Amino acid sequence: QVQLVESGGGVVQPGGSLRLSCAASGFTFRNYGAHWVRQAPGKGLEWVAFIRYDESDKYYADSVKGRFIISRDNSKNMLFLQMNSLRPEDTAVYYCAKNLAYYYLDVWGKGTTVTVSS
Amino acid sequence: QSALTQPASVSGSPGQSITISCTGTSSDIGDYKFVSWYQQHPGKAPKLMIYDVSKRPSGVSNRFSGSKSGNTASLTISGLQAEDEADYYCNSYTTSSTPHWVFGGGTKLTVL
């Protein structure tokens, strides 16, 4: 079945870095764009980044622009989020999501938790 | 990149209908038909319920419907059931400044 599984979350100090991964299965990953979305504890959803199926376009939320980098490896069906200069306000559950018809997020992973704290 | 505006909470009794509003601007909801709605139960991943303003993905109950008027989108749930109790988020694509996606703040639906 169509599935996304995130990994790489953990506890990191402010200013540190972390790389999240998302393994895709059950569909032709290279044909679809993908997103990262996060949810701070007790808060709502916040869109973080998008990458087109062929990496030709990458877009970021203002809150992470210049610090986070989205990338993918279509040969391995993997999506990544490199997070640098982490701040306490980056603490959240991070979800990867598959793109539907460019504008929608139709399949979501279960999320991985990132905690930024000293 | 401002969030869309949703009511913090709505409630209804089993069998009733409720509507959740989602207000944006002429740069997002008002300018595009690319509005979607997501349901999230506690501790679970979000689930796509409505896309293209009013279309339902396969497997989503026809009790869920969507609409849009001007800068405001709406999600209506008819025949409320206990399992509908969840958080609901609207989302819109926008090209204001650079292309990006924006969520609403979320609405907690309580089935009384």
Side-chain angles (χ1 to χ4, degrees), chain A residues 39 61-62 102-105 109, chain B residues 1 34 38 40 45 52 100-101:
Chain A
Q39 187 169 34
D62 287 346
Y102 190 79
Y103 304 104
Y104 311 110
L105 296 72
Chain B
Q1 297 181 345
F34 307 125
Y38 301 84
Q40 186 181 35
D52 262 7
H100 60 279
W101 285 257

Side-chain angles (χ1 to χ4, degrees), chain A residues 35 37 39 43-47 50 59-63 65 95 99-100 102-106 108-110, chain B residues 1 33-36 38 40 44-48 51-53 89 91 93 98-105:
Chain A
H35 300 259
V37 175
Q39 187 169 34
K43 302 296 185 183
L45 301 174
E46 180 188 14
W47 174 78
F50 166 77
Y59 304 121
Y60 300 90
D62 287 346
S63 57
K65 203 172 293 182
Y95 297 98
N99 197 234
L100 168 67
Y102 190 79
Y103 304 104
Y104 311 110
L105 296 72
D106 68 333
W108 297 63
K110 289 181 165 43
Chain B
Q1 297 181 345
K33 67 166 187 174
F34 307 125
V35 176
S36 51
Y38 301 84
Q40 186 181 35
K44 300 295 187 182
K47 175 185 176 184
L48 177 65
Y51 68 99
D52 262 7
V53 174
Y89 296 90
N91 180 278
Y93 171 81
T98 58
H100 60 279
W101 285 257
V102 59
F103 282 98

Side-chain angles (χ1 to χ4, degrees), chain A residues 17-65:
Chain A
S17 298
L18 212 54
R19 188 194 197 208
L20 304 184
S21 300
C22 172
S25 60
F27 66 102
T28 307
F29 179 70
R30 64 178 180 273
N31 289 348
Y32 295 91
H35 300 259
W36 286 99
V37 175
R38 68 185 181 184
Q39 187 169 34
K43 302 296 185 183
L45 301 174
E46 180 188 14
W47 174 78
V48 173
F50 166 77
I51 185 168
R52 210 172 170 99
Y53 70 98
D54 58 358
E55 295 194 89
S56 59
D57 289 314
K58 300 178 185 181
Y59 304 121
Y60 300 90
D62 287 346
S63 57
V64 307
K65 203 172 293 182

